[in-house]
Amino acid sequence: MERVFEEHLMNAAMVVEQQLDSEINRLENLDEDDLEKIRERRMKALRKAQSQKHEWIQKGHGSLSELPSEKDFFDTCKQSTNVVCHFYKNSTFRCKILDSHLEKLAQQHLETKFVKLDVEKAPFLTSRFNIHVIPTMGIVKDGKTQGFIVGFAEFGNCDEFTTEMLEWRLGCAEIIKYAGDLSNPPVKGKSTKSSILEQVKNSKTIRSKGDQNSDSDSDLEE
């Protein structure tokens, strides 16, 4: 049995070695025209990425912005593909905690527009979205509300959660580009991880692709 296992390992190693040799040969045989094409493709990709970054910054991405009114909410969701809106109240301490995390994430994730809106200035949206708990974060993608993250329940229901934890949660909602492992929330304790994963699984922002009739996926029209 051991000998068979060793033979399998040897065969696997040989396959990998052959693939590496093939790639080395391909690179060694590239002529000047091939190298120039590779450089052109890379430069084109870099220019496209730089152009996209500039466009995001022009739209106000990169910081947590205060929306003066409900109308600005609709305008923002029309202009930006990915939007995270913090519905807040000045008198709520937890809103200040959330702001501190969102400010950091806004700088790290230019692909998403991070905004905040005082619920006292947004009676229509507060009623339409059934916002009863402050803070609440609205997740908007392509002009449609994908769901809401209500309070701190999904962060262990405590005030001491990390920015990385919020980043992971927004990654689960597919509203930012998350580079980590979505199946492994950045918290300590196996039971805590399992509990959080279960809560997120049942959240409205985690829906099957075919669930087009969900109430949480509504067009944003004034």
Side-chain angles (χ1 to χ4, degrees):
M1 187 69 177
E2 186 176 345
R3 183 176 179 182
V4 173
F5 180 69
E6 289 178 353
E7 288 179 355
H8 280 303
L9 282 178
M10 184 65 71
N11 290 335
M14 289 178 63
V15 170
V16 172
E17 186 176 354
Q18 289 172 359
Q19 291 174 341
L20 287 173
D21 288 342
S22 177
E23 181 64 14
I24 290 172
N25 288 332
R26 185 185 72 81
L27 292 173
E28 287 180 344
N29 291 324
L30 288 175
D31 57 27
E32 191 62 31
D33 289 339
D34 292 327
L35 292 172
E36 184 60 31
K37 289 178 181 178
I38 292 174
R39 282 194 289 267
E40 287 179 0
R41 283 198 296 268
R42 287 179 176 173
M43 288 301 298
K44 185 178 180 180
L46 286 172
R47 285 194 294 269
K48 184 178 180 180
Q50 190 62 31
S51 175
Q52 179 66 85
K53 182 179 178 181
H54 178 73
E55 180 183 338
W56 284 330
I57 292 174
Q58 288 292 103
K59 290 180 178 180
H61 292 222
S63 63
L64 177 62
S65 307
E66 173 90 26
L67 297 179
S69 68
E70 291 180 312
K71 182 181 183 303
D72 295 282
F73 172 81
F74 291 105
D75 292 342
T76 295
C77 293
K78 289 175 183 176
Q79 293 173 4
S80 297
T81 301
N82 302 309
V83 177
V84 173
C85 183
H86 173 201
F87 292 94
Y88 80 98
K89 199 172 184 179
N90 273 322
S91 59
T92 304
F93 175 70
R94 280 189 162 183
C95 290
K96 295 178 174 61
I97 294 174
L98 186 57
D99 276 349
S100 67
H101 294 300
L102 292 175
E103 286 168 358
K104 295 175 184 177
L105 292 178
Q107 297 175 32
Q108 297 172 20
H109 293 277
L110 291 180
E111 72 276 9
T112 301
K113 180 73 178 288
F114 289 82
V115 296
K116 55 188 291 190
L117 179 59
D118 189 338
V119 292
E120 294 183 346
K121 297 180 180 179
F124 171 75
L125 288 174
T126 302
S127 174
R128 179 174 178 175
F129 293 150
N130 294 317
I131 296 175
H132 301 294
V133 176
I134 301 297
T136 286
M137 281 180 286
I139 308 299
V140 184
K141 195 175 186 69
D142 295 320
K144 297 186 178 189
T145 54
Q146 301 298 306
F148 302 88
I149 301 174
V150 181
F152 290 176
E154 295 178 43
F155 310 126
N157 206 25
C158 68
D159 297 344
E160 293 79 25
F161 67 91
T162 63
T163 302
E164 289 74 23
M165 183 61 195
L166 176 57
E167 181 181 32
W168 172 84
R169 179 61 185 85
L170 294 176
C172 289
E174 299 180 354
I175 201 65
I176 62 171
K177 293 180 180 178
Y178 186 69
D181 181 3
L182 290 175
S183 66
N184 185 28
V187 292
K188 296 180 180 179
K190 188 175 181 180
S191 61
T192 304
K193 289 178 185 285
S194 299
S195 175
I196 289 174
L197 284 170
E198 187 63 26
Q199 288 185 57
V200 171
K201 182 181 178 181
N202 295 327
S203 172
K204 284 187 177 182
T205 54
I206 305 299
R207 306 181 350 265
S208 63
K209 298 296 183 182
D211 185 12
Q212 298 298 324
N213 297 318
S214 171
D215 291 338
S216 66
D217 188 9
S218 56
D219 290 313
L220 288 176
E221 295 180 357
E222 297 177 79

